[in-house]
Amino acid sequence: MTTLPALDQAAIQRRTVLVLSLGQVLGGIAFGATVSLGALLAADLSGDDALSGLATASVTLGAALCAIPLARLASRVGRRRALTLGNLFALVGIAVVILAAALRIFPLLLVGILMIGAGNAGNLQSRFAATDLAAPKHRGRDLSVVVWATTIGGVSGPLLLGPGEIVGQAIGMPPQTGSYLFSLVAQTAAFILYLVALRPDPLLTAQRLAKDAAASLAAPLIVLDRPTVARYAIFAIAGSHVVMASVMAMTPIHLSHMAQGMHAGNASAADVSLLVGFTIALHVAGMYGLSPIFGILADRWGRLRVVLLGQGLLAAALAFAIFVNDQPWGVMVALILLGLGWSAATVAGAALLTEASAPELRTRRQGRSDSLMSLSAAAGAVLAGVVLSNFQYAGLGIAASVLVLVIVVLAPLGRTRVSRPTHDRGRLV
């Protein structure tokens, strides 16, 4: 058997990270638009603010339903086909959302947003794809670079609300859906990019290299599996995502009410869109903008320490949400810190999950992690709407703080020592 030279593997990894990063830029545009407009469209079509959380619930539920199937598909046929299928789901979902807004059918809107969420499952899988061929000492860095690339698209999406409405009105699109036109173009470009440029497939290449290495050794390569650490990593990722998603999902509604109060109940749609779009853009910048720093810190300080750093940032965000929620700047600071905390926890948590799992279990656990993360966030978003209606924005911050505390208390379960792979004729332990 022949193995790929180290230099060639490094070159393939650099190309893979570049392609995945470009794909995240394009996919982030649709994500940013859906985050900004989903709750507003849901409230408009349903006529009930309490149902606005169903938009975020739908996008996260779509990601949850498709995470495991896409991970299994990737393990069989590679990342490229799984990612292109995710983009296809998102394309169809965008078209359905536009149709639902035109016909003013609330259930159809949720179906479209759910399909966009299915596409987002592919975007989430991209960060794990960056680790398939990564050297262990650079795993956090490579993963975080792909996460960081989402900043460009994720920030652009909310900022395109205004221009999108102008373009949408010019071509006769339904109200509040103009920016989805940009999303449609971006998702199409991402689909073509993955289909054409993600070659050789990183996961299939990694699997081939592992088989070649095992065949060339007198005894099998043993990589210790740490299921307790992996389970904590999955919980920390999911919990941090629930905190972020539940507060973020209700922020557009809170800001809408705030804008009406600032304008004595006469705030225009443009006033609301500007305030919401700018705040969510800052939030998305916090989610992705510093992810390479958190990735480097995870490589140098250790994964668990950066997970706990994320919890500290989330706690600070919730403090602003509880005590300074009556000022636009206070909500903006809360959303920025919320994004930073999410970034630190999920980047380090994903690296911890990858290195705590034996190679043959990684893809399966990665799919389970994404599914649980999205499913729990969907439930959190629905409950967030109820909490907001009954206990206001501060009550939502208090409820989310409980989950942060649980993640910190359970942190000892995530402790692990770095060990080198060993060779033995025994079975994997």
Side-chain angles (χ1 to χ4, degrees):
M1 293 285 183
T2 59
T3 58
L4 194 66
L7 183 61
D8 291 348
Q9 181 175 339
I12 292 174
Q13 174 65 1
R14 287 194 297 272
R15 174 185 171 87
T16 297
V17 171
L18 176 60
V19 172
L20 292 172
S21 298
L22 291 174
Q24 288 296 91
V25 170
L26 297 169
I29 293 176
F31 170 78
T34 301
V35 167
S36 299
L37 291 175
L40 296 176
L41 280 171
D44 179 43
L45 296 187
S46 68
D48 187 351
D49 284 354
L51 297 180
S52 60
L54 291 179
T56 300
S58 295
V59 75
T60 51
L61 179 61
L65 293 176
C66 286
I68 293 177
L70 284 178
R72 290 179 177 175
L73 180 65
S75 66
R76 292 197 305 269
V77 300
R79 299 285 190 187
R80 182 172 63 88
R81 293 184 182 179
L83 293 178
T84 52
L85 180 59
N87 274 278
L88 185 60
F89 285 146
L91 281 170
V92 175
I94 292 169
V96 172
V97 165
I98 295 172
L99 178 64
L103 300 178
R104 299 195 62 78
I105 301 177
F106 178 60
L108 186 62
L109 173 72
L110 298 183
V111 171
I113 294 177
L114 186 143
M115 295 192 70
I116 293 175
N120 194 44
N123 286 339
L124 291 172
Q125 194 179 105
S126 294
R127 73 194 194 284
F128 288 123
T131 69
D132 291 334
L133 291 171
K137 65 180 180 180
H138 296 312
R139 185 172 287 139
R141 182 199 66 185
D142 290 354
L143 184 152
S144 65
V145 167
V146 173
V147 173
W148 172 85
T150 313
T151 307
I152 302 173
V155 172
S156 299
L159 294 179
L160 289 173
L161 293 184
E165 286 305 304
I166 294 174
V167 175
Q169 289 177 5
I171 63 176
M173 291 182 68
Q176 295 185 319
T177 64
S179 62
Y180 279 113
L181 179 64
F182 299 132
S183 299
L184 198 65
V185 174
Q187 287 291 160
T188 302
F191 176 85
I192 296 172
L193 175 71
Y194 287 139
L195 189 64
V196 173
L198 196 59
R199 300 171 185 269
D201 188 281
L203 182 55
L204 296 182
T205 302
Q207 291 172 346
R208 177 169 62 83
L209 289 174
K211 290 180 181 178
D212 289 349
S216 66
L217 297 171
L221 182 65
I222 305 300
V223 179
L224 293 178
D225 186 58
R226 300 178 176 86
T228 299
V229 176
R231 283 193 288 268
Y232 174 77
I234 291 173
F235 174 73
I237 293 170
S240 300
H241 190 66
V242 170
V243 172
M244 183 278 294
S246 59
V247 176
M248 178 271 297
M250 294 299 101
T251 297
I253 301 301
H254 179 67
L255 290 175
S256 177
H257 293 162
M258 185 181 296
Q260 293 297 337
M262 292 167 59
H263 292 82
N266 295 315
S268 66
D271 294 328
V272 174
S273 294
L274 179 61
L275 181 59
V276 171
F278 186 67
T279 303
I280 295 300
L282 291 175
H283 169 64
V284 174
M287 288 176 67
Y288 303 113
L290 297 185
S291 56
I293 293 178
F294 294 130
I296 293 171
L297 289 177
D299 287 336
R300 295 183 178 179
W301 288 1
R303 321 304 188 194
L304 183 59
R305 289 181 180 178
V306 179
V307 169
L308 293 177
L309 172 62
Q311 303 315 302
L313 291 167
L314 289 175
L318 296 175
F320 273 91
I322 293 169
F323 298 110
V324 202
N325 62 73
D326 58 341
Q327 298 292 329
W329 69 266
V331 177
M332 290 178 186
V333 171
L335 267 287
I336 292 171
L337 291 172
L338 194 71
L340 291 173
W342 176 89
S343 181
T346 56
V347 166
L352 180 63
L353 173 61
T354 298
E355 69 183 16
S357 302
E360 66 270 23
L361 298 175
R362 283 177 185 166
T363 306
R364 186 189 314 168
R365 283 182 181 164
Q366 288 165 354
R368 288 176 180 173
S369 176
D370 284 345
S371 180
L372 179 61
M373 178 178 73
S374 299
L375 190 61
S376 56
V382 173
L383 293 175
V386 177
V387 173
L388 182 70
S389 297
N390 292 278
F391 303 101
Q392 301 182 339
Y393 201 66
L396 181 59
I398 293 172
S401 300
V402 176
L403 192 50
V404 172
L405 179 62
V406 174
I407 295 172
V408 173
V409 170
L410 295 180
L413 298 177
R415 291 177 180 167
T416 181
R417 293 180 180 178
V418 178
S419 60
R420 297 182 182 277
T422 60
H423 301 89
D424 195 349
R425 292 184 182 276
R427 64 188 180 88
L428 185 71
V429 295

